[in-house]
Amino acid sequence: MLWGAAGILAAVVGLTGYAAVQQGADDDASHPGTSASPPPSATAATTTAAPVPVSTYSAPPSWEEPDRWLAAPRGTRTVGGREVGFPHTMEGAVGMLVASSAVDIEGATTTVDEHLASYTTYTAVGDQTPAREQRVRQGAAKADARARATMGAPDSGPLPAGAWMRSHLVGFKIVQARPDAVTAHLLLRNGQKAGETARESVFYTVGIVGVVWRDDDWKFDTAGGASPPAGSVPEIAAPGDAAFNTQGWTAIRQAS
């Protein structure tokens, strides 16, 4: 089954970037309610790399500490509640990716709200166009409709009490790092809950995103970033899975 990567990749829908994506469900005991389809909040990004089908992912019962960790730096200030002002380093680029990938949809907040906020905050002013914004709106609206249908929520209005959709970045693997441009594979954990008594469904998505140093901060690379070598997309493996290490993922700790 194929699905676009969540949050950050949805925000660049309409840009000229690409995403090679995988997805899989985490159906371990901690998430017994995992369903057979990914959370529709994970909307598809425009792709130029072919998606790679994978079987449903199951986290193993045993835990193996990740070999590689990064304390991703935080932004020095916020704009509209989102962190900006990251260090001009590779680590700062990853910090921006952590912040821009965070999605929290509940109550009256919609997928359109979250994706537009990410788009406007993390796209350089000179790269923002009405056409791109419209594509972000349209893609997010479709994703919101799919999510509501899957959750049995009303077509519009606030989500039911206890219902939410969330995504956050849990791992990365650098494709290319230059002083003013970084491209990385991203591993995102996407969760969905249909209501107070519903069980959480969890899915992981893998995508690739490029960022560039523009306007004194890290921004989405509308040119698409560096192309990864053929066949180099790392497979999905949650932090704690031995395969997380063998696939070359680096886990993320948010710096204080």
Side-chain angles (χ1 to χ4, degrees):
M1 186 186 304
L2 301 178
W3 201 266
I8 183 172
L9 304 181
V12 296
V13 93
L15 303 184
T16 57
Y18 55 85
V21 301
Q22 299 174 302
Q23 58 97 79
D26 174 359
D27 53 5
D28 66 5
S30 64
H31 303 294
T34 297
S35 64
S37 59
S41 59
T43 190
T46 299
T47 65
T48 57
V52 182
V54 293
S55 59
T56 298
Y57 172 73
S58 298
S62 59
W63 169 271
E64 182 168 320
E65 184 73 11
D67 290 337
R68 294 166 293 275
W69 288 90
L70 174 70
R74 294 183 179 273
T76 57
R77 61 189 188 280
T78 60
V79 173
R82 291 180 176 262
E83 293 182 19
V84 297
F86 293 92
H88 191 178
T89 60
M90 182 276 288
E91 292 80 5
V94 175
M96 173 270 191
L97 291 170
V98 171
S100 60
S101 66
V103 172
D104 189 352
I105 301 168
E106 57 186 314
T109 303
T110 68
T111 307
V112 175
D113 296 332
E114 288 287 272
H115 293 177
L116 276 178
S118 186
Y119 167 76
T120 57
T121 303
Y122 300 109
T123 302
V125 172
D127 290 333
Q128 295 184 30
T129 67
R132 284 174 176 158
E133 180 178 328
Q134 182 63 16
R135 286 195 288 271
V136 171
R137 287 182 180 275
Q138 291 173 343
K142 291 178 181 178
D144 199 67
R146 288 195 298 266
R148 287 171 177 270
T150 298
M151 298 167 69
D155 292 341
S156 60
L159 289 175
W164 48 257
M165 295 173 282
R166 295 171 186 154
S167 297
H168 65 277
L169 187 60
V170 296
F172 72 95
K173 184 177 182 180
I174 295 295
V175 173
Q176 183 181 85
R178 296 180 175 177
D180 292 331
V182 174
T183 301
H185 294 293
L186 307 180
L187 174 64
L188 296 101
R189 182 185 188 276
N190 313 294
Q192 176 178 296
K193 199 167 185 288
E196 294 282 6
T197 60
R199 292 177 294 184
E200 179 184 5
S201 295
V202 174
F203 291 82
Y204 293 87
T205 48
V206 172
I208 183 168
V209 171
V211 295
V212 291
W213 186 256
R214 294 276 303 277
D215 301 341
D216 294 321
D217 209 347
W218 290 106
K219 303 289 185 180
F220 291 131
D221 184 358
T222 58
S227 298
S232 66
V233 179
E235 294 182 1
I236 288 174
D241 184 342
F244 185 89
N245 293 326
T246 59
Q247 290 298 313
W249 291 111
T250 296
I252 292 171
R253 288 191 180 102
Q254 189 80 65
S256 59

